[in-house]
């Protein structure tokens, strides 16, 4: 057997054993592992010299190399257990808890004003037999505009008002696309609300934000009339703002409804007499609504001769602002814990 190769092998093992005895942390152990057992370690370098060993001695030298590798590996694992135990003992000693000290006070979170308002709206409409359906925030132009009877030259499609990903994809400007998607599925009748985040290219101020939330509703069935719409929204207003709340509908225009209306509620601060909160008018505008346009029904595969329906949309932030008498929409997004704790 080649004595030079065996001497080198013994020297490698002795050196590894000495370094392992001095190793005090996982990094030092890893250095020994790399220097001895790694791809460029001492044992690999030693094996490169096998070509100078007599052919009859090579199996013996190979066996000794494997034995040395197993020996060093076992010692590394044993030393690792010792180091891990020492680290744990030091950590336990350093982190000793004085059980006589008072416990740290737990900070218990709570719901955001928007979430409180949303859950109340969902409770009201679920109680009236509606289902809650959500949809994508990044939407096809076809669903956001075309299927809602908004033509290509409509001002709402101006790039100054809408965030376009490309000519066919936008950040939705309302949650009405969810209604169009649901109507396409059929399965009539439909009673649904679609809450979610929407986007418009607005400057940030006390009443505007480029990102806000809407809750839109849709009912499609046989013999649905404007009286059904008025009764539903009157019930909704009384549930949110109190049983004495009155509602008023003013003619308006929306491309996807005909006829269309804006709904006001009597000021819940002054009872309609006029105050600072309602700017002396006695009424507060709260949402838009109307009967679903027949062309919208046709585009979604519903026969307008057999089915009718109504739709409405309310800004979730507007409900929260009114309900909690907040005068600046930006307060809802600034994450000031002193403000949010009030709710």
């Amino acid at each position: 057997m080649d004595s030079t190769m065996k001497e080198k092998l013994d020297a490698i093992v002795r050196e590894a054993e000495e370094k392992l005895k001095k190793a005090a942390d996982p990094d030092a152990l890893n250095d020994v592992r790399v220097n001895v057992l790694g791809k460029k370690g001492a044992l690999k370098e030693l094996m490169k010299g096998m070509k100078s060993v007599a052919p009859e001695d090579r199996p013996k030298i190979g066996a000794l190399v494997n034995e040395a590798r197993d020996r060093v590996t076992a010692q590394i694992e044993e030393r690792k257990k010792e180091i891990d135990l020492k680290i744990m003992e030091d950590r336990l000693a350093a982190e000793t808890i004085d059980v006589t000290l008072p416990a740290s006070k737990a900070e218990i979170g709570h719901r955001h004003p928007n979430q409180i308002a949303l859950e109340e709206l969902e409770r009201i409409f679920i109680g009236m037999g509606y289902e809650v359906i959500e949809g994508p925030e990044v939407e096809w132009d076809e669903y956001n505009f075309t299927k809602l009877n908004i033509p290509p030259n409509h001002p709402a499609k101006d790039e100054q008002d809408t965030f376009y990903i490309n000519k066919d994809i936008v950040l939705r400007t309302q949650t009405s696309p969810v209604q169009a998607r649901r109507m396409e599925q059929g399965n009539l009748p439909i009673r649904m609300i679609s809450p979610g985040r929407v986007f418009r290219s607005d400057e940030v101020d006390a009443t505007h934000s480029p990102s806000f939330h809407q809750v839109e509703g849709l009912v499609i069935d046989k013999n649905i009339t404007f009286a059904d719409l008025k009764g539903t929204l009157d019930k909704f207003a009384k549930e949110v703002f109190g049983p004495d709340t009155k509602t008023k509908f003013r003619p308006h225009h929306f491309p996807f409804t005909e006829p269309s209306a804006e709904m006001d509620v009597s000021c819940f601060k002054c009872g309609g007499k006029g105050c600072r909160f309602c700017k002396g008018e006695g009424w507060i505008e709260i949402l838009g609504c109307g009967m679903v346009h027949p062309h919208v029904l046709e585009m979604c595969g519903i026969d307008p001769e057999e089915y009718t329906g109504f739709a409405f949309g309310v800004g979730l932030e507007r409900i929260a602002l009114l309900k909690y008498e907040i005068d600046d929409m930006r307060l809802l997004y600034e994450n000031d814990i002193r403000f949010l704790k009030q709710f």
Side-chain angles (χ1 to χ4, degrees):
M1 182 184 297
D2 190 311
S3 58
T4 303
M5 289 288 289
K6 189 174 185 306
E7 290 172 1
K8 289 181 179 179
L9 190 59
D10 292 339
I12 290 171
V13 174
R14 284 196 304 271
E15 184 179 358
E17 290 174 343
E18 291 297 321
K19 288 182 177 180
L20 285 173
K21 290 178 183 179
K22 297 177 182 178
D25 55 58
D27 288 338
L29 278 182
N30 191 56
D31 289 342
V32 175
R33 187 190 307 276
V34 171
N35 291 334
V36 178
L37 307 177
K39 292 182 179 180
K40 296 183 180 180
L43 289 181
K44 282 287 185 182
E45 292 297 320
L46 183 68
M47 291 298 289
K48 292 180 181 179
M50 287 285 283
K51 58 186 177 182
S52 62
V53 177
E56 63 272 13
D57 290 335
R58 289 177 186 175
K60 297 177 182 178
I61 294 295
L64 289 175
V65 169
N66 290 335
E67 182 182 336
R69 181 184 291 109
D70 293 342
R71 181 177 173 184
V72 172
T73 300
Q75 290 181 357
I76 289 175
E77 291 302 319
E78 183 178 351
R79 184 58 181 156
K80 180 178 183 300
K81 292 178 182 178
E82 294 173 356
I83 292 174
D84 288 345
L85 180 61
K86 180 67 166 58
I87 291 173
M88 179 61 71
E89 290 173 348
D90 292 344
R91 182 177 174 184
L92 290 174
E95 295 181 359
T96 300
I97 299 174
D98 185 349
V99 295
T100 64
L101 291 174
S104 300
K105 184 178 179 180
E107 287 288 341
I108 301 176
H110 57 85
R111 295 168 299 166
H112 190 276
N114 268 4
Q115 185 64 28
I116 297 173
L118 175 60
E119 289 178 5
E120 182 172 5
L121 264 63
E122 289 182 345
R123 175 186 60 79
I124 292 169
F125 283 104
I126 289 173
M128 289 191 279
Y130 287 60
E131 59 180 334
V132 179
I133 301 178
E134 296 183 352
E137 294 179 1
V138 180
E139 186 57 274
W140 293 103
D141 178 282
E142 179 184 5
Y143 285 99
N144 197 75
F145 294 119
T146 306
K147 286 187 177 293
L148 299 177
N149 207 29
I150 299 176
N153 60 348
H154 194 278
K157 299 190 69 171
D158 193 306
E159 291 187 4
Q160 301 304 313
D161 296 326
T162 303
F163 293 107
Y164 274 84
I165 306 299
N166 57 42
K167 67 181 181 68
D168 296 319
I169 302 175
V170 300
L171 297 183
R172 65 181 181 186
T173 58
Q174 62 243 336
T175 57
S176 301
V178 183
Q179 300 175 359
R181 288 174 176 272
R182 176 64 180 83
M183 284 189 284
E184 278 189 343
Q185 295 174 6
N187 301 324
L188 301 172
I190 298 171
R191 286 177 177 81
M192 60 167 282
I193 59 171
S194 52
R197 188 188 301 271
V198 299
F199 307 86
R200 295 180 189 175
S201 186
D202 289 334
E203 294 290 337
V204 176
D205 60 30
T207 57
H208 295 85
S209 171
S211 175
F212 55 102
H213 299 78
Q214 278 191 341
V215 179
E216 300 198 15
L218 174 71
V219 172
I220 302 291
D221 204 346
K222 295 179 180 180
N223 304 316
I224 295 294
T225 68
F226 204 93
D228 297 306
L229 167 62
K230 293 179 68 176
T232 298
L233 295 183
D234 186 73
K235 175 66 174 175
F236 158 69
K238 286 177 167 56
E239 288 285 336
V240 174
F241 299 112
D244 297 327
T245 303
K246 297 181 177 61
T247 55
K248 178 175 69 174
F249 293 80
R250 294 177 286 105
H252 197 72
H253 169 72
F254 298 111
F256 34 86
T257 54
E258 180 61 38
S260 305
E262 292 274 12
M263 188 184 89
D264 301 338
V265 296
S266 57
C267 179
F268 45 86
K269 289 289 288 182
C270 65
K273 297 176 182 178
C275 64
R276 179 190 64 83
F277 194 73
C278 62
K279 300 178 181 178
E281 296 181 359
W283 296 92
I284 300 172
E285 179 185 319
I286 189 172
L287 58 82
C289 58
M291 300 300 292
V292 179
H293 198 292
H295 187 47
V296 172
L297 294 174
E298 289 177 346
M299 286 189 291
C300 294
I302 298 174
D303 184 0
E305 296 295 329
E306 185 177 2
Y307 289 94
T308 55
F310 64 78
F312 58 88
V314 57
L316 185 61
E317 282 81 359
R318 184 161 184 77
I319 296 294
L321 293 177
L322 292 173
K323 191 171 182 63
Y324 299 113
E325 300 182 30
I326 303 169
D327 58 6
D328 194 327
M329 186 175 177
R330 290 169 290 192
L331 291 169
L332 296 174
Y333 303 126
E334 290 175 347
N335 295 325
D336 188 332
I337 195 67
R338 297 169 298 176
F339 170 76
L340 295 176
K341 274 185 175 180
Q342 299 177 72
F343 308 98

